[in-house]
Amino acid sequence: MSDEFESRGAEGSGESFRTPGIIASRLDDAIGWARKYSIFQYPFVTACCGMEFMSTAGSHYDLDRFGAGFPRFSPRQADVLMVVGTVSHKIAPILKRIYEQMAEPKWVVAFGVCTCTGGFYDDYATVQGIDTIVPVDLYIPGCPPRPENVLQGLMLLQDKIQKQGRHPKPGTLRPPVR
Amino acid sequence: MMTEKDFPDAGFDTVQLVPKAQAREALSFLKNELGFNVLVDHTAADLSKWPEAKEGRFELTWRLMKLDPKTGLVERRLALKTRVAEGEDGPPSSKDLWPNADWAEREVWDMFGVKPSDNPSIKRLLLYEEFKGHPLRKDYPIAKRQPLVEPMAAPRERIDPKELRPKLVDS
Ligand code: SF4
């Protein structure tokens, strides 16, 4: 059982609740804990970063260890939108629509510099960072990010989900770069 | 009338420049008489920053290949080029010769704004219909973006669940 549960149980009460068969916790912690280990991700894969995503999701690096190994290809069943790869202005309405279709609570991960800032595509076709269209909770830089980088990002996202408790707020939105 | 002598074989880098009025005839000749059965690519270049621009701003290129149908080996390659002045249409479409020319011509229209003279209602291939201008022209500002979605409004403050609880009237 996770640390959050055990430490809360004993906290301030003067005695331990660690009686066999009973777990005491705050509701926020319990919900955060349950959510962070059951991430159903929606992979929105558009470009070369997808290769690195596949490598991370495959058995060698194994996203499943973090409870995030189950991609859902319906936004209505997903809670983390993984935007992996360059987002062009042509596909931007689709990305926004998928974000809006996801049920709350939902989190968005910008995977690779193209999604974080537009990367080196400072041109007519590319959205300069998906946080100009949808709120982003976690940025994973790199072109493409190494799988270790992605796993670290995933653990940071889990921390964030744990801390947010029952009512997570949407991530950052940035004014657009025209 | 074109003959085989008009297209001498100079190895893999053979490049042949023809006037626009003859381009369509040359393409038919290459396909039907000389057996260039593969259109590798059809593309264009904006020469407006080059001295060649006075012969026509856009240079259209057809990269052709002749494959032996029995062995699949390459027998010949050739690049046919022609120049098109600004505001003019290109030579008639060659999609009846090589079906893949259709998409290549749409891409040339999309990126450079040069369309085949017999296809006035050609549609964009890569960009969206709402896009104005042709981005690979040298006078298009490269970073000028034409977004389809408006930037998202700042998120609404969440309702505190306590506000939703029924309130006792006299408490
Ligand atoms: S960040 Fe690099 S690897 Fe990832 S989609 Fe962009 S160009 Fe490709």
Side-chain angles (χ1 to χ4, degrees):
Chain A
M1 201 39 76
S2 88
D3 292 347
E4 298 91 35
F5 278 11
E6 294 185 316
S7 59
R8 287 287 171 192
E11 197 177 55
S13 60
E15 61 181 285
S16 171
F17 281 108
R18 270 179 268 173
T19 336
I22 297 180
I23 303 166
S25 171
R26 289 200 318 158
L27 185 58
D28 270 348
D29 289 342
I31 287 179
W33 174 84
R35 280 178 181 161
K36 81 174 179 182
Y37 289 124
S38 62
I39 292 174
F40 284 19
Q41 21 120 359
Y42 181 98
F44 189 90
V45 179
T46 53
C48 21
C49 266
M51 295 295 145
E52 216 63 22
F53 177 74
M54 290 172 217
S55 147
T56 317
S59 54
H60 194 86
Y61 288 95
D62 197 8
L63 268 185
D64 222 356
R65 289 182 286 161
F66 304 88
F70 195 34
R72 304 309 297 151
F73 293 104
S74 161
R76 293 169 206 280
Q77 298 170 351
D79 25 47
V80 170
L81 175 60
M82 286 262 200
V83 187
V84 181
T86 325
V87 175
S88 65
H89 281 296
K90 193 176 181 180
I91 210 171
I94 300 170
L95 174 66
K96 190 170 176 198
R97 182 138 184 213
I98 283 177
Y99 174 78
E100 283 165 355
Q101 283 179 339
M102 286 168 65
E104 297 210 17
K106 54 188 169 187
W107 295 271
V108 180
V109 175
F111 186 119
V113 287
C114 279
T115 49
C116 295
T117 63
F120 42 72
Y121 299 114
D122 183 10
D123 62 11
Y124 60 92
T126 311
V127 174
Q128 302 295 292
I130 57 162
D131 50 1
T132 59
I133 319 171
V134 295
V136 173
D137 289 276
L138 182 86
Y139 299 83
I140 305 178
C143 178
R146 283 195 56 86
E148 293 88 340
N149 218 343
V150 180
L151 295 183
Q152 187 196 11
L154 190 73
M155 289 190 277
L156 289 171
L157 181 68
Q158 287 183 325
D159 281 353
K160 185 167 182 173
I161 295 175
Q162 172 74 52
K163 288 200 188 100
Q164 281 177 334
R166 262 173 297 175
H167 302 293
K169 288 220 163 50
T172 355
L173 261 179
R174 192 156 58 86
V177 185
R178 288 280 163 104
Chain B
M1 228 4 244
M2 289 183 173
T3 63
E4 202 164 336
K5 292 204 181 60
D6 296 330
F7 300 98
D9 186 0
F12 265 25
D13 289 327
T14 316
V15 174
Q16 190 93 21
L17 189 69
V18 295
K20 194 182 92 177
Q22 289 173 22
R24 166 68 213 199
E25 193 194 340
L27 287 167
S28 316
F29 182 77
L30 289 167
K31 166 83 197 292
N32 297 326
E33 310 298 327
L34 297 188
F36 281 89
N37 43 12
V38 180
L39 174 68
V40 181
D41 199 6
H42 165 46
T43 183
D46 182 354
L47 303 179
S48 55
K49 302 254 163 83
W50 293 71
E52 288 90 339
K54 52 186 183 304
E55 299 162 38
R57 177 175 170 186
F58 298 101
E59 183 179 84
L60 303 190
T61 306
W62 290 261
R63 293 212 153 263
L64 305 172
M65 198 156 71
K66 182 177 177 182
L67 292 186
D68 185 333
K70 292 207 187 69
T71 61
L73 296 178
V74 183
E75 289 187 354
R76 256 188 95 176
R77 283 173 193 258
L78 188 138
L80 191 85
K81 300 196 177 208
T82 188
R83 302 262 161 82
V84 178
E86 190 170 358
E88 279 182 17
D89 287 345
S93 170
S94 47
K95 66 184 173 198
D96 52 327
L97 303 173
W98 302 278
N100 61 333
D102 188 21
W103 276 22
E105 282 161 4
R106 283 175 61 190
E107 187 183 356
V108 168
W109 161 249
D110 197 357
M111 294 291 145
F112 295 93
V114 179
K115 59 184 161 193
S117 56
D118 56 352
N119 192 356
S121 57
I122 192 165
K123 286 209 315 209
R124 288 183 181 278
L125 179 71
L126 299 172
L127 288 166
Y128 32 98
E129 285 299 308
E130 293 85 348
F131 198 90
K132 297 214 170 47
H134 302 280
L136 290 196
R137 288 188 173 200
K138 296 284 180 213
D139 50 10
Y140 186 92
I142 188 67
K144 182 168 167 243
R145 287 174 267 274
Q146 306 187 20
L148 285 180
V149 284
E150 281 308 303
M152 213 173 159
R156 183 165 60 88
E157 264 309 299
R158 270 159 204 277
I159 299 168
D160 186 352
K162 276 192 225 98
E163 288 172 17
L164 297 177
R165 290 197 190 128
K167 292 191 184 75
L168 292 180
V169 182
D170 50 353
S171 68

